[in-house]
Amino acid sequence: MKRDKKIVLIAHCILNCNSKVEGLSQYRGALSEVVSLLMEQGLGIIQLPCPELTVYGVKRWGHVKEQFNTPYFRKHCREVFKPYLEQIKDYQAADYQIVGLLGIEGSPSCGVNRSCSGDWGGTFSSPKLEFNLNNVKSIDGAGIFIEEIREIFKEEEIGIPIIGVDEKDLKQTFKIIKGLS
Ligand code: SF4
């Protein structure tokens, strides 16, 4: 049987926007432009788990990076990634190529070059809450899940490019995806 032996890992919500915080999705189900392009490139697609959904569920509030920057969430990220690390090792040992991993820019978990930051926490009756909600900002740097994956790749000496999908400007993402295969 024919196969290209090329695989891409993608953030969960690229195939299933229902994992996002309610109100955040800019598409109905899957990010079809990205998925179609990956398929056209002959890439097999592995959907990573959503590290937020698997802790807080679909009814969670939006979070900022600071709230996930805990030993517990980092440990959770490593645990949910472990079965995928095993697959990566198995595929690579059998001469398959993992051409890249796609994250989601701006996410406190899956951001690659950009995440979001804010001084959040406490009760909803806190007088500080409105001020803090208005002061959430985009910051340089990866989200916590991607930070942990980078660290795991370093520990395991795995060289897979990690690419951020900018859902508001897909042109740059398309160029990078075209260069993957
Ligand atoms: S945590 Fe990652 S996979 Fe889950 S919704 Fe956010 S960006 Fe998507």
Side-chain angles (χ1 to χ4, degrees), residues 11-13 19-21 49-53 60 104 107 109-110 145:
H12 186 96
C13 57
S19 63
K20 286 177 176 285
V21 168
C50 171
E52 296 181 18
L53 184 83
R60 69 190 182 280
I104 297 288
S107 162
S109 300
C110 299
F145 191 36

Side-chain angles (χ1 to χ4, degrees), residues 50-82:
C50 171
E52 296 181 18
L53 184 83
T54 48
V55 173
Y56 293 119
V58 75
K59 285 288 185 186
R60 69 190 182 280
W61 295 105
H63 286 66
V64 289
K65 184 175 176 181
E66 287 83 348
Q67 289 172 297
F68 288 139
N69 190 11
T70 66
Y72 332 110
F73 189 71
R74 287 184 181 277
K75 183 174 158 202
H76 171 70
C77 288
R78 283 185 172 251
E79 281 170 357
V80 296
F81 189 69
K82 194 170 172 223

